[in-house]
PDB file of all heavy atoms in Angstrom:
ATOM      1  N   LYS R 302      -1.533   7.451   3.776  1.00 86.00           N
ATOM      2  CA  LYS R 302      -1.938   8.823   3.941  1.00 86.00           C
ATOM      3  C   LYS R 302      -2.734   9.291   2.733  1.00 86.00           C
ATOM      4  O   LYS R 302      -3.606  10.193   2.720  1.00 86.00           O
ATOM      5  CB  LYS R 302      -0.698   9.724   4.108  1.00 86.00           C
ATOM      6  CG  LYS R 302      -0.079   9.589   5.464  1.00 86.00           C
ATOM      7  CD  LYS R 302       0.893  10.771   5.745  1.00 86.00           C
ATOM      8  CE  LYS R 302       1.507  10.555   7.173  1.00 86.00           C
ATOM      9  NZ  LYS R 302       2.568  11.572   7.386  1.00 86.00           N
ATOM     10  N   GLN R 303      -2.250   8.750   1.508  1.00 84.00           N
ATOM     11  CA  GLN R 303      -2.897   9.283   0.402  1.00 84.00           C
ATOM     12  C   GLN R 303      -4.288   8.700   0.074  1.00 84.00           C
ATOM     13  O   GLN R 303      -5.081   9.317  -0.653  1.00 84.00           O
ATOM     14  CB  GLN R 303      -1.972   8.828  -0.827  1.00 84.00           C
ATOM     15  CG  GLN R 303      -2.335   9.419  -2.206  1.00 84.00           C
ATOM     16  CD  GLN R 303      -1.091   9.955  -2.888  1.00 84.00           C
ATOM     17  OE1 GLN R 303       0.025  10.057  -2.229  1.00 84.00           O
ATOM     18  NE2 GLN R 303      -1.217  10.262  -4.018  1.00 84.00           N
ATOM     19  N   VAL R 304      -4.447   7.393   0.497  1.00 91.00           N
ATOM     20  CA  VAL R 304      -5.790   6.801   0.190  1.00 91.00           C
ATOM     21  C   VAL R 304      -6.763   6.783   1.326  1.00 91.00           C
ATOM     22  O   VAL R 304      -7.952   6.486   1.169  1.00 91.00           O
ATOM     23  CB  VAL R 304      -5.594   5.385  -0.342  1.00 91.00           C
ATOM     24  CG1 VAL R 304      -4.661   5.361  -1.536  1.00 91.00           C
ATOM     25  CG2 VAL R 304      -5.086   4.353   0.749  1.00 91.00           C
ATOM     26  N   ALA R 305      -6.309   7.189   2.559  1.00 95.00           N
ATOM     27  CA  ALA R 305      -7.255   7.212   3.702  1.00 95.00           C
ATOM     28  C   ALA R 305      -8.506   8.048   3.447  1.00 95.00           C
ATOM     29  O   ALA R 305      -9.549   7.792   3.753  1.00 95.00           O
ATOM     30  CB  ALA R 305      -6.495   7.644   4.901  1.00 95.00           C
ATOM     31  N   HIS R 306      -8.228   9.243   2.698  1.00 94.00           N
ATOM     32  CA  HIS R 306      -9.395  10.138   2.382  1.00 94.00           C
ATOM     33  C   HIS R 306     -10.479   9.423   1.584  1.00 94.00           C
ATOM     34  O   HIS R 306     -11.597   9.731   1.773  1.00 94.00           O
ATOM     35  CB  HIS R 306      -8.853  11.370   1.816  1.00 94.00           C
ATOM     36  CG  HIS R 306      -8.633  11.403   0.373  1.00 94.00           C
ATOM     37  ND1 HIS R 306      -7.465  11.025  -0.210  1.00 94.00           N
ATOM     38  CD2 HIS R 306      -9.565  11.698  -0.702  1.00 94.00           C
ATOM     39  CE1 HIS R 306      -7.498  11.159  -1.567  1.00 94.00           C
ATOM     40  NE2 HIS R 306      -8.783  11.528  -1.881  1.00 94.00           N
ATOM     41  N   GLN R 307     -10.021   8.639   0.556  1.00 95.00           N
ATOM     42  CA  GLN R 307     -10.879   7.926  -0.261  1.00 95.00           C
ATOM     43  C   GLN R 307     -11.721   6.886   0.610  1.00 95.00           C
ATOM     44  O   GLN R 307     -13.016   6.747   0.419  1.00 95.00           O
ATOM     45  CB  GLN R 307     -10.216   7.016  -1.321  1.00 95.00           C
ATOM     46  CG  GLN R 307      -9.957   7.687  -2.664  1.00 95.00           C
ATOM     47  CD  GLN R 307      -9.381   6.750  -3.735  1.00 95.00           C
ATOM     48  OE1 GLN R 307     -10.087   5.686  -3.885  1.00 95.00           O
ATOM     49  NE2 GLN R 307      -8.454   7.206  -4.311  1.00 95.00           N
ATOM     50  N   LEU R 308     -11.002   6.194   1.473  1.00 96.00           N
ATOM     51  CA  LEU R 308     -11.716   5.245   2.321  1.00 96.00           C
ATOM     52  C   LEU R 308     -12.731   5.946   3.190  1.00 96.00           C
ATOM     53  O   LEU R 308     -13.853   5.458   3.378  1.00 96.00           O
ATOM     54  CB  LEU R 308     -10.675   4.511   3.127  1.00 96.00           C
ATOM     55  CG  LEU R 308      -9.699   3.546   2.500  1.00 96.00           C
ATOM     56  CD1 LEU R 308      -8.583   3.133   3.341  1.00 96.00           C
ATOM     57  CD2 LEU R 308     -10.470   2.373   1.895  1.00 96.00           C
ATOM     58  N   MET R 309     -12.451   7.148   3.725  1.00 96.00           N
ATOM     59  CA  MET R 309     -13.272   7.761   4.664  1.00 96.00           C
ATOM     60  C   MET R 309     -14.321   8.566   3.911  1.00 96.00           C
ATOM     61  O   MET R 309     -15.493   8.750   4.352  1.00 96.00           O
ATOM     62  CB  MET R 309     -12.455   8.725   5.619  1.00 96.00           C
ATOM     63  CG  MET R 309     -11.741   7.948   6.665  1.00 96.00           C
ATOM     64  SD  MET R 309     -12.788   6.965   7.782  1.00 96.00           S
ATOM     65  CE  MET R 309     -12.549   5.333   7.126  1.00 96.00           C
ATOM     66  N   GLU R 310     -14.013   8.910   2.599  1.00 96.00           N
ATOM     67  CA  GLU R 310     -15.096   9.509   1.817  1.00 96.00           C
ATOM     68  C   GLU R 310     -16.327   8.527   1.707  1.00 96.00           C
ATOM     69  O   GLU R 310     -17.405   8.832   1.876  1.00 96.00           O
ATOM     70  CB  GLU R 310     -14.604   9.916   0.489  1.00 96.00           C
ATOM     71  CG  GLU R 310     -15.562  10.803  -0.247  1.00 96.00           C
ATOM     72  CD  GLU R 310     -15.307  11.067  -1.687  1.00 96.00           C
ATOM     73  OE1 GLU R 310     -14.026  10.859  -2.098  1.00 96.00           O
ATOM     74  OE2 GLU R 310     -16.160  11.510  -2.438  1.00 96.00           O
ATOM     75  N   ASN R 311     -15.968   7.297   1.311  1.00 96.00           N
ATOM     76  CA  ASN R 311     -16.990   6.212   1.167  1.00 96.00           C
ATOM     77  C   ASN R 311     -17.625   5.929   2.483  1.00 96.00           C
ATOM     78  O   ASN R 311     -18.862   5.682   2.516  1.00 96.00           O
ATOM     79  CB  ASN R 311     -16.399   4.939   0.533  1.00 96.00           C
ATOM     80  CG  ASN R 311     -16.578   4.971  -1.012  1.00 96.00           C
ATOM     81  OD1 ASN R 311     -17.266   5.723  -1.514  1.00 96.00           O
ATOM     82  ND2 ASN R 311     -15.921   3.967  -1.559  1.00 96.00           N
ATOM     83  N   TYR R 312     -16.943   5.988   3.595  1.00 96.00           N
ATOM     84  CA  TYR R 312     -17.486   5.785   4.866  1.00 96.00           C
ATOM     85  C   TYR R 312     -18.543   6.873   5.209  1.00 96.00           C
ATOM     86  O   TYR R 312     -19.722   6.483   5.574  1.00 96.00           O
ATOM     87  CB  TYR R 312     -16.330   5.749   5.958  1.00 96.00           C
ATOM     88  CG  TYR R 312     -16.854   5.868   7.393  1.00 96.00           C
ATOM     89  CD1 TYR R 312     -17.261   4.601   8.031  1.00 96.00           C
ATOM     90  CD2 TYR R 312     -16.873   6.962   8.105  1.00 96.00           C
ATOM     91  CE1 TYR R 312     -17.797   4.628   9.318  1.00 96.00           C
ATOM     92  CE2 TYR R 312     -17.337   6.998   9.390  1.00 96.00           C
ATOM     93  CZ  TYR R 312     -17.806   5.840  10.026  1.00 96.00           C
ATOM     94  OH  TYR R 312     -18.275   5.907  11.254  1.00 96.00           O
ATOM     95  N   LEU R 313     -18.298   8.029   4.891  1.00 96.00           N
ATOM     96  CA  LEU R 313     -19.184   9.191   5.084  1.00 96.00           C
ATOM     97  C   LEU R 313     -20.405   8.962   4.160  1.00 96.00           C
ATOM     98  O   LEU R 313     -21.559   9.234   4.530  1.00 96.00           O
ATOM     99  CB  LEU R 313     -18.581  10.496   4.853  1.00 96.00           C
ATOM    100  CG  LEU R 313     -17.484  10.894   5.956  1.00 96.00           C
ATOM    101  CD1 LEU R 313     -16.917  12.274   5.624  1.00 96.00           C
ATOM    102  CD2 LEU R 313     -18.181  10.871   7.381  1.00 96.00           C
ATOM    103  N   ARG R 314     -20.126   8.628   2.910  1.00 96.00           N
ATOM    104  CA  ARG R 314     -21.213   8.474   1.939  1.00 96.00           C
ATOM    105  C   ARG R 314     -22.145   7.313   2.450  1.00 96.00           C
ATOM    106  O   ARG R 314     -23.308   7.401   2.267  1.00 96.00           O
ATOM    107  CB  ARG R 314     -20.649   8.048   0.563  1.00 96.00           C
ATOM    108  CG  ARG R 314     -20.073   9.192  -0.154  1.00 96.00           C
ATOM    109  CD  ARG R 314     -19.290   8.952  -1.361  1.00 96.00           C
ATOM    110  NE  ARG R 314     -19.050  10.147  -2.159  1.00 96.00           N
ATOM    111  CZ  ARG R 314     -19.842  10.639  -3.036  1.00 96.00           C
ATOM    112  NH1 ARG R 314     -20.949   9.920  -3.459  1.00 96.00           N
ATOM    113  NH2 ARG R 314     -19.628  11.756  -3.665  1.00 96.00           N
ATOM    114  N   LEU R 315     -21.607   6.277   2.946  1.00 96.00           N
ATOM    115  CA  LEU R 315     -22.380   5.211   3.487  1.00 96.00           C
ATOM    116  C   LEU R 315     -23.285   5.614   4.646  1.00 96.00           C
ATOM    117  O   LEU R 315     -24.557   5.405   4.673  1.00 96.00           O
ATOM    118  CB  LEU R 315     -21.501   4.056   4.077  1.00 96.00           C
ATOM    119  CG  LEU R 315     -22.206   2.824   4.641  1.00 96.00           C
ATOM    120  CD1 LEU R 315     -22.940   2.040   3.643  1.00 96.00           C
ATOM    121  CD2 LEU R 315     -21.042   1.957   5.398  1.00 96.00           C
ATOM    122  N   LYS R 316     -22.728   6.472   5.475  1.00 94.00           N
ATOM    123  CA  LYS R 316     -23.531   7.074   6.650  1.00 94.00           C
ATOM    124  C   LYS R 316     -24.588   7.886   6.162  1.00 94.00           C
ATOM    125  O   LYS R 316     -25.689   7.839   6.690  1.00 94.00           O
ATOM    126  CB  LYS R 316     -22.501   7.947   7.427  1.00 94.00           C
ATOM    127  CG  LYS R 316     -22.286   7.466   8.911  1.00 94.00           C
ATOM    128  CD  LYS R 316     -21.253   8.338   9.570  1.00 94.00           C
ATOM    129  CE  LYS R 316     -21.572   8.483  11.088  1.00 94.00           C
ATOM    130  NZ  LYS R 316     -20.506   9.131  11.827  1.00 94.00           N
ATOM    131  N   GLU R 317     -24.292   8.765   5.092  1.00 95.00           N
ATOM    132  CA  GLU R 317     -25.271   9.678   4.604  1.00 95.00           C
ATOM    133  C   GLU R 317     -26.072   9.080   3.497  1.00 95.00           C
ATOM    134  O   GLU R 317     -26.860   9.707   2.774  1.00 95.00           O
ATOM    135  CB  GLU R 317     -24.477  10.880   4.000  1.00 95.00           C
ATOM    136  CG  GLU R 317     -23.767  11.688   5.173  1.00 95.00           C
ATOM    137  CD  GLU R 317     -22.722  12.597   4.691  1.00 95.00           C
ATOM    138  OE1 GLU R 317     -22.574  12.770   3.468  1.00 95.00           O
ATOM    139  OE2 GLU R 317     -21.948  13.149   5.494  1.00 95.00           O
ATOM    140  N   ARG R 318     -26.030   7.761   3.288  1.00 95.00           N
ATOM    141  CA  ARG R 318     -26.840   7.023   2.242  1.00 95.00           C
ATOM    142  C   ARG R 318     -26.591   7.604   0.839  1.00 95.00           C
ATOM    143  O   ARG R 318     -27.559   7.631   0.086  1.00 95.00           O
ATOM    144  CB  ARG R 318     -28.315   6.960   2.736  1.00 95.00           C
ATOM    145  CG  ARG R 318     -28.516   6.232   4.072  1.00 95.00           C
ATOM    146  CD  ARG R 318     -29.896   6.232   4.421  1.00 95.00           C
ATOM    147  NE  ARG R 318     -30.012   5.615   5.679  1.00 95.00           N
ATOM    148  CZ  ARG R 318     -30.433   4.355   5.846  1.00 95.00           C
ATOM    149  NH1 ARG R 318     -30.771   3.566   4.856  1.00 95.00           N
ATOM    150  NH2 ARG R 318     -30.441   3.787   7.048  1.00 95.00           N
TER     151      ARG R 318
END
Side-chain angles (χ1 to χ4, degrees):
Chain R
K302 285 194 181 171
Q303 190 137 350
V304 304
H306 82 272
Q307 268 190 51
L308 293 169
M309 286 302 100
E310 189 191 344
N311 264 351
Y312 170 79
L313 292 179
R314 286 172 166 268
L315 177 70
K316 237 176 147 171
E317 295 159 8
R318 298 177 182 261

